């Protein structure tokens, strides 16, 4: 109906669209949320991801099944499905896939301060193991093409350390109870998270070579650290230049 489409609307799957549909979503500022592993599993088809992106529709990624719950596989699927349809590689840059996996999803939910690593942004991020059988030798900007959920070692949500060394810190209490809505941590102490061999970020203030940011590239920091406090990123950069913190997680 009239008024159904707008910036707070997300078209989930968006698989079977005509040109007029794509134009309507673009003009209304709608986000399209693709679920590639679900489309494969159900034989639903391949959606027009590149055409939507070219029209100005932000792409996000989701998981719509229990058989595969892996954001990295969803990101790879977005690119791989396009390759199958077009017989071309590089349909999306690593930076665009990272945005679909983070920034665009947050914006679609009404959280524009999430999905990036920068001072003042929501402190939601993960760290990955770079020495697993899947990721060893992988260039940082190519990590999305190699990693799986099994490579995640640290998860920070709203400034709270939820997973450390691959173990959920709330595991003894996770008995099926609802743990409450998503919120920023009320913990006011500043925590410095180090031991990040290479940090990859899609924040436009970073660039891979210290040059002007390019939307097709990702910023990379070697031997990095992130300082979080009260649910926000306070500082991010080389560990050698990190400010003082109340506590430290290596």
């Amino acid at each position: 109906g009239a008024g159904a489409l707008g910036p707070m609307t997300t078209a989930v799957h968006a698989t079977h669209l005509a040109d007029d549909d794509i134009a309507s979503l673009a003009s209304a500022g709608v986000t399209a949320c693709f679920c590639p592993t679900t489309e494969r599993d159900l034989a639903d088809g391949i959606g027009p991801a590149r055409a939507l992106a070219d029209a100005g529709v932000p792409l996000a990624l989701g998981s719509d099944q229990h058989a595969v719950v892996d954001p990295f596989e969803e990101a790879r699927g977005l690119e791989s499905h396009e390759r199958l349809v077009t017989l071309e590689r590089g349909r999306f840059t690593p930076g665009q896939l990272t945005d679909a996996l983070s920034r665009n999803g947050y914006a679609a939910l009404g959280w524009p301060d999430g999905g990036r690593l920068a001072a003042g942004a929501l402190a939601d991020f993960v760290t990955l193991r770079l020495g697993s059988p899947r990721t060893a030798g992988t260039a940082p900007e190519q990590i999305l093409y190699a990693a799986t959920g099994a490579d995640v070692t640290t998860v920070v949500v709203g400034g709270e350390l939820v997973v450390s060394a691959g173990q959920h810190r709330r595991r003894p209490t996770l008995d099926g109870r609802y743990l409450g809505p998503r919120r920023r941590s009320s913990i006011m102490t500043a925590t410095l998270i180090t031991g990040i061999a290479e940090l990859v970020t899609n924040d436009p203030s970073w660039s891979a070579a210290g040059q002007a940011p390019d939307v097709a590239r990702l910023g990379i920091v070697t031997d990095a650290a992130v300082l979080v406090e009260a649910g926000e990123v306070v500082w991010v950069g080389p560990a050698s230049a990190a400010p003082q913190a109340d506590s430290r997680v290596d």
Side-chain angles (χ1 to χ4, degrees):
L5 300 181
M8 291 305 295
T9 305
T10 299
V12 181
H13 299 297
T15 305
H16 303 289
L17 300 177
D19 290 343
D20 288 347
D21 297 325
I22 294 175
S24 295
L25 296 181
S27 63
V30 171
T31 296
C33 181
F34 275 59
C35 307
T37 65
T38 300
E39 319 308 348
R40 288 204 302 261
D41 185 35
L42 300 180
D44 279 346
I46 298 174
R50 187 66 260 174
L52 283 163
D54 289 342
V57 176
L59 300 182
L61 288 165
S63 177
D64 191 34
Q65 62 171 329
H66 67 280
V68 178
V69 183
D70 192 322
F72 304 104
E73 181 60 24
E74 303 296 348
R76 282 192 292 272
L78 191 65
E79 167 67 16
S80 298
H81 287 187
E82 277 285 320
R83 294 182 183 187
L84 288 172
V85 170
T86 65
L87 303 182
E88 296 178 358
R89 301 181 69 186
R91 299 290 289 172
F92 293 98
T93 67
Q96 289 170 331
L97 293 177
T98 302
D99 281 347
L101 200 57
S102 55
R103 182 194 301 267
N104 294 349
Y106 276 94
L109 294 171
W111 298 329
D113 56 346
R116 57 193 177 90
L117 277 175
L122 188 65
D124 286 1
F125 58 91
V126 301
T127 66
L128 302 176
R129 183 171 28 247
L130 296 181
S132 78
R134 295 165 295 276
T135 61
T138 303
E141 65 273 17
Q142 298 291 324
I143 197 69
L144 280 178
Y145 299 121
T148 71
D151 296 310
V152 173
T153 59
T154 304
V155 177
V156 176
V157 179
E160 181 181 355
L161 186 64
V162 177
V163 174
S164 179
Q167 296 296 316
H168 201 297
R169 302 186 72 179
R170 285 182 178 174
R171 187 172 182 180
T173 65
L174 292 179
D175 56 3
R177 293 175 297 169
Y178 176 56
L179 296 179
R182 179 187 180 281
R183 59 181 177 83
R184 292 174 184 252
S185 171
S186 60
I187 300 173
M188 298 302 294
T189 58
T191 301
L192 183 67
I193 299 175
T194 63
I196 305 172
E198 290 169 307
L199 182 147
V200 179
T201 174
N202 58 348
D203 186 74
S205 64
W206 295 86
S207 68
Q211 303 169 356
D214 184 332
V215 294
R217 296 168 61 191
L218 294 169
I220 301 172
V221 182
T222 301
D223 188 21
V226 179
L227 183 66
V228 300
E229 182 177 5
E232 289 187 354
V233 175
V234 178
W235 178 92
V236 57
S240 60
Q244 292 294 316
D246 300 308
S247 62
R248 180 176 177 136
V249 178
D250 294 318

